[in-house]
Amino acid sequence: YRCVTLFFMLKAFFISILFLSLYGCGQPTLIKETRISMDTLVEISVYSSSNPEALEAIKLAFKEIERVEKKFSKFDKGSEVSKVNRLATSERVRISPGLFKVIEDSIHYSEISGGSFDITVTSGHKGRYREIELDKSRLTVYFLDPGVNIDLGGVAKGYAVDKAKDILVANGVTNALINIGGNIYALGSARGKHGWDIGIRDPKDRTKIIDRLNLEDKAVSTSGTYERGPHIIDPATGMPARSFTSVSVVAGSAELADALSTAIFVMGRVKSMEFVKALKEDIEVFVFDNSGEAVLTGSSASSRSYLY
């Protein structure tokens, strides 16, 4: 469950467009649009000196998010994921390049995390990502066991953030913030600042900020239980993970941050520390235990300290 709080995030849960024209003629204007999509609040903020072009870019980015939702939702009987879950135990199902990549990436995240991330896990059942067979030359997927299904909930929002960011960049946007339920990508900088200021919510008090981040061309994702209770399933046991209250991961892509925040959440203290130290990907992590105290902060590619 994603629970990073933006300092400047709109709290309205309805579609809105807000123009903040406070800087004079010819200066970049902050344009925000908020919608409900992927079963959560989605906000895109863009700084632009051309409102019509920015609005068109935002429109296209939301269209991409909606496309990803329609394709990846296991609850939509007409989605591509639902088709895979119906058919892939009896035949090799040809799928779109986008879905193939996400499944392939998910298997990679499973392998590097020792199975702590697994798109086949369900409550009461252990993860079985090794039962997924992919054929890259034919773009097909097949389940080796009839009990296997996939759920992309642990990675789809991050993937959608990355796709929306790509749409904005392709349409000339250089400074923007995309937030899908706490899966965030900070593109460029807020006007007059270096990067974008983002806060990590205090697990003990959702009205407070426990840590502050300044991100530029980076993503952040938080997995936590302090709003919904224990619901993140440990693939090794099929039971809810209880080692931590929240895990935030900063990475180069929102998909990677999304998957690894979930993986680290179920690892426990010792394994998570060893994992971050050995990881080749450049990430930063912020981990809080059940009392809300920081138990691990660190980076796989810098001298940030590790704390227990």
Side-chain angles (χ1 to χ4, degrees), residues 2 14 42 46 78 81 90 98 103 107 119 121-122 134 195 199 228 252 254 258 268 285 307:
R2 310 305 175 201
F14 52 84
V42 180
V46 170
V81 164
S90 58
I103 296 174
I107 292 172
I119 59 173
V121 70
T122 57
L134 294 175
R228 291 174 55 192
D258 196 4
V285 297
L307 304 174

Side-chain angles (χ1 to χ4, degrees), residues 67-110:
R67 185 192 69 82
V68 171
E69 179 181 23
K70 186 174 182 179
K71 182 183 291 286
F72 289 176
S73 174
K74 72 170 185 176
F75 303 107
D76 182 346
K77 293 182 179 180
S79 74
E80 191 173 11
V81 164
S82 291
K83 176 184 176 183
V84 168
N85 285 337
R86 285 195 306 271
L87 301 177
T89 57
S90 58
E91 63 182 85
R92 285 167 174 79
V93 181
R94 185 173 177 84
I95 57 178
S96 64
L99 179 57
F100 189 95
K101 180 183 184 302
V102 171
I103 296 174
E104 185 178 48
D105 287 350
S106 296
I107 292 172
H108 169 69
Y109 301 141
S110 296

